[in-house]
Amino acid sequence: MARLAELPPLSLYVHIPWCLRKCPYCDFNSHEKRGELPEAQYVDALTADLEAALANVWGRRIHTIFIGGGTPSLFSPASIDRLLTAIRTRLPVDPEAEVTLEANPGTFEIERFRGFRDAGINRLSIGVQSFDDARLAAIGRVHGAKEARAAVQAAMAIFPTMNVDLMYALPGQSLDQALADVREAIAFGAPHVSAYHLTLEPDTNFYRNPPALPADDLAADMQEGVESLLASAGYEHYETSAFAKPKNRARHNVNYWTYGDYVGLGAGAHGKISLRDRITREIRERKPQTYLRAALDGDAICERREVADGERPFEFMLNALRLIDGFPLDLFTRRTGLPISTVEPQLAAAEAAGLIARDHATIRPTERGRRFLNDLLEPFLEPAPARPAARVINISSPGTARPS
Ligand code: SF4
């Protein structure tokens, strides 16, 4: 195994797997809430899970925390406070750490925002998706436009920074409607906007019963219009779906995209932990009840494997080439332990095909490379042809690069 000269920055992801209702397009590990949530027991399980994980990250500082789901805003501020206290008393957390919580619009959740802030959340990510009632109904969301506006307004007033999740290419959506959603997010002054193209994922209701979606040409116009509106409003387009005002990039997600490390706690959470002589990936038990039992028994991990040298270039590129500005050359070696010459043939071919641009310091995807990302990434799989690519793709980003 190639050795790492340094360990990457460390983040912490916490998965809370319940929602009011399952959205028909959602393939996340999220489960419809039935009756009271076992909040106290789940926080106990997360704490036990963290304790079991400590040995592998001992002494390392946490730079960002992301509490995602599911709908974590269904948990009370007291439970979030207990969770963050449990983390802080067990691991050194950077005093400047970005601490994000995902929330959905809804009166019940909005009433809790101030409590989340008091508990230590300093960034709220709101699953707005659209400010149009008809579009929200078409994608099966439980909230309406009025609640979406109220949530954004409240979050802007309470949190130092926040994100608005939007989706476009929704059933029956026109170009004007897609752009109106973006204009509204801009008008609110949202410091960060994530704009996702709705896709039909296997194992979802939309996949089994597909709705009528905008044609590819129209969806491409929407994407172009979204990007240009946000650019003209001063947002930096820094990753495929992510747009930020200066100094408001999502540091947690940037750590994923720069092949950083993360502990993943909670049902179905994925983690990636580097030691000097190995990189390990872990997956927790997926079903909430199984996870609860396993975590409280001291071992919630159902799958653990080492990332072989031959897999690292693909995993690295899969993440880093999502970044519009690409990555510094030396980052490849710092994160994978491999010299950049390992992938020189693939880089030269990608450059010749107009998929990347590079100089002595950086490598970045061209616009063509971003459009044909699969073509760009595929050659990096070659060193390990026997490995199933889909599995690697699935475990590379624990639930942050898609709408919730
Ligand atoms: S899209 Fe978000 S709110 Fe809807 S089921 Fe999935 S995790 Fe829950």
Side-chain angles (χ1 to χ4, degrees):
M1 287 275 181
R3 284 183 66 82
L4 300 179
E6 63 178 37
L7 296 181
L10 181 64
S11 291
L12 177 64
Y13 175 75
V14 181
H15 192 77
I16 297 187
W18 292 282
C19 291
L20 284 179
R21 194 166 77 199
K22 184 80 179 173
C23 302
Y25 58 85
C26 176
D27 68 342
F28 285 1
N29 185 28
S30 61
H31 304 261
E32 210 157 293
K33 170 182 181 291
R34 295 205 172 89
E36 282 302 298
L37 290 179
E39 280 191 42
Q41 201 193 7
Y42 197 73
V43 174
D44 289 345
L46 291 169
T47 307
D49 193 1
L50 173 60
E51 277 182 354
L54 286 180
N56 283 333
V57 291
W58 196 248
R60 291 176 69 182
R61 185 176 283 261
I62 299 287
H63 293 274
T64 66
I65 299 173
F66 194 104
I67 306 175
T71 306
S73 52
L74 293 178
F75 269 30
S76 68
S79 293
I80 299 300
D81 185 48
R82 196 157 76 83
L83 169 64
L84 290 175
T85 304
I87 293 167
R88 288 202 173 91
T89 49
R90 284 164 182 80
L91 272 175
V93 177
D94 191 304
E96 302 296 315
E98 175 191 271
V99 186
T100 304
L101 180 101
E102 283 188 328
N104 275 333
T107 320
F108 174 70
E109 284 94 337
I110 294 167
E111 280 167 6
R112 300 177 157 197
F113 284 5
R114 203 163 292 280
F116 293 140
R117 175 73 187 114
D118 291 344
I121 300 298
N122 55 28
R123 182 174 184 272
L124 201 76
S125 178
I126 308 181
V128 167
Q129 317 314 352
S130 174
F131 292 102
D132 176 334
D133 278 327
R135 302 284 74 75
L136 288 167
I139 56 170
R141 297 293 297 198
V142 284
H143 68 269
K146 197 172 144 212
E147 287 158 319
R149 292 186 181 107
V152 175
Q153 247 160 2
M156 288 290 294
I158 292 170
F159 294 91
T161 191
M162 53 88 72
N163 166 60
V164 169
D165 268 353
L166 292 177
M167 287 199 288
Y168 60 90
L170 305 180
Q173 192 175 42
S174 68
L175 177 59
D176 280 352
Q177 287 168 338
L179 299 187
D181 282 341
V182 176
R183 280 196 195 95
E184 193 151 350
I186 293 171
F188 275 117
H192 192 285
V193 175
S194 303
Y196 303 99
H197 185 308
L198 174 67
T199 51
L200 303 185
E201 302 297 329
D203 284 330
T204 62
N205 274 345
F206 269 7
Y207 192 81
R208 288 182 284 272
N209 304 297
L213 295 176
D216 288 350
D217 282 358
L218 176 54
D221 288 349
M222 288 179 184
Q223 182 179 343
E224 216 169 276
V226 167
E227 291 176 3
S228 106
L229 264 183
L230 286 160
S232 57
Y235 289 77
E236 298 162 352
H237 184 194
Y238 68 100
E239 185 270 344
T240 313
S241 311
F243 304 81
K245 289 194 174 168
K247 301 196 186 345
N248 279 282
R249 294 185 182 199
R251 283 158 50 201
H252 185 85
N253 291 357
V254 169
N255 191 42
Y256 295 143
W257 297 323
T258 49
Y259 207 45
D261 277 1
Y262 46 95
V263 177
L265 305 178
H270 296 178
K272 166 187 172 265
I273 305 294
S274 304
L275 301 174
R276 296 273 179 184
D277 61 350
R278 78 195 93 124
I279 299 175
T280 309
R281 285 200 177 273
E282 308 167 336
I283 305 179
R284 262 67 175 171
E285 292 286 356
R286 191 175 159 85
K287 286 189 181 151
Q289 287 308 326
T290 314
Y291 170 80
L292 275 169
R293 277 194 301 274
L296 291 168
D297 284 349
D299 187 8
I301 295 174
C302 61
E303 191 180 321
R304 182 186 277 123
R305 67 182 191 87
E306 286 189 17
V307 182
D309 288 0
E311 297 175 275
R312 295 181 191 181
F314 176 75
E315 287 204 356
F316 177 89
M317 297 296 173
L318 176 68
N319 286 286
L321 289 174
R322 298 179 65 97
L323 291 166
I324 308 295
D325 295 337
F327 59 90
L329 263 184
D330 68 326
L331 188 73
F332 178 83
T333 302
R334 280 160 49 210
R335 294 288 189 270
T336 65
L338 302 166
I340 191 78
S341 55
T342 319
V343 287
E344 180 50 34
Q346 292 95 319
L347 292 174
E351 191 176 24
L355 298 170
I356 60 163
R358 57 178 172 164
D359 55 29
H360 64 284
T362 55
I363 295 177
R364 64 174 177 80
T366 59
E367 206 174 317
R368 183 180 161 78
R370 288 195 278 125
R371 188 169 320 143
F372 300 104
L373 196 57
N374 284 348
D375 294 347
L376 171 54
L377 292 173
E378 208 184 322
F380 294 99
L381 273 171
E382 280 176 0
R387 179 171 39 85
R391 182 159 160 249
V392 177
I393 289 169
N394 282 341
I395 63 177
S396 65
S397 287
T400 58
R402 299 269 293 286
S404 176

